[in-house]
Structures are given as structure tokens and as C-alpha cells.
């Protein structure tokens, strides 16, 4: 087993820690949201090298490691959803603060 296989788990742990910090310390919610957003962007950027393999799998082609391709695809999808959620939360927070 390669240490790179654990990268999504490290991201998950960091996101969970930042979520707890933002939940427990309300004065740090914005910092936690930006940290989670940064991790989401890094997760997407770090997984983009797997896009050709993901496309090959979806079109019925063969790849060296289907598990790695699926894992990178899931990482991209989860990080994009997480990033969209963070953007929405930051927008809502700004709207609430401006009223």
C-alpha cells in the first residue's frame, strides 16, 4: 500500500478538524470555512491528473489502475461539492452581516 492512497483520508481528517474548530469557536467560523475551501481547491487540483483515466473508464477504455481512477474521480466530485457549499456559506454569511 502506498502512502498516496491515504491522501483522501488526510484531507478528510483536516476537514473534520476545521469543521469542529468552526463549530465550537464561533469567532473562527470564517477562518475554518476558508481553510475548508482551500483544502477543497487543493483536492481538486491534486486529482486533476487522473481526469484522462476517469474519461477512459467512463468511455469503456482500459487504464493501469481502475481503483486509482475511481478514487481520484470521487475526490474531485466530493471536493467540488464541498467547495460549492463553502462558497454558499460564505455568501450567506456576508449577506447576513451586511443587513
Amino acid at each position: 500500500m502506498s502512502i498516496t492512497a491515504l491522501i483522501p483520508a488526510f484531507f478528510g481528517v483536516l476537514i473534520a478538524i476545521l469543521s469542529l474548530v468552526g463549530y465550537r469557536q464561533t469567532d473562527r467560523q470564517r477562518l475554518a470555512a476558508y481553510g475548508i475551501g482551500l483544502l477543497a481547491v487543493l483536492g481538486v487540483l491534486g486529482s486533476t491528473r487522473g481526469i484522462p483515466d476517469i474519461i477512459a473508464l467512463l468511455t469503456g477504455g482500459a487504464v493501469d489502475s481502475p481503483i486509482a481512477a475511481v478514487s481520484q474521480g470521487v475526490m474531485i466530485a466530493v471536493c467540488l461539492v464541498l467547495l460549492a457549499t463553502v462558497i454558499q456559506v460564505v455568501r450567506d454569511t456576508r449577506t447576513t452581516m451586511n443587513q
Side-chain angles (χ1 to χ4, degrees):
M1 177 183 240
S2 172
I3 191 73
T4 58
L6 296 175
I7 289 173
F10 293 140
F11 269 79
V13 168
L14 290 173
I15 289 168
I17 290 170
L18 286 170
S19 298
L20 286 173
V21 167
Y23 179 74
R24 291 188 177 165
Q25 300 175 1
T26 56
D27 59 326
R28 295 188 183 200
Q29 284 179 344
R30 187 178 227 172
L31 178 64
Y34 286 131
I36 292 170
L38 177 64
L39 285 172
V41 169
L42 291 174
V44 169
L45 292 176
S47 298
T48 55
R49 64 186 169 94
I51 291 176
D53 287 345
I54 295 165
I55 293 170
L57 274 181
L58 291 174
T59 58
V63 296
D64 291 337
S65 178
I67 293 173
V70 170
S71 176
Q72 288 172 334
V74 170
M75 182 78 166
I76 290 171
V78 168
C79 287
L80 286 174
V81 169
L82 186 59
L83 184 60
T85 303
V86 167
I87 290 170
Q88 187 62 41
V89 166
V90 170
R91 282 185 183 167
D92 291 347
T93 303
R94 286 186 181 172
T95 303
T96 304
M97 292 176 83
N98 290 333
Q99 291 181 354

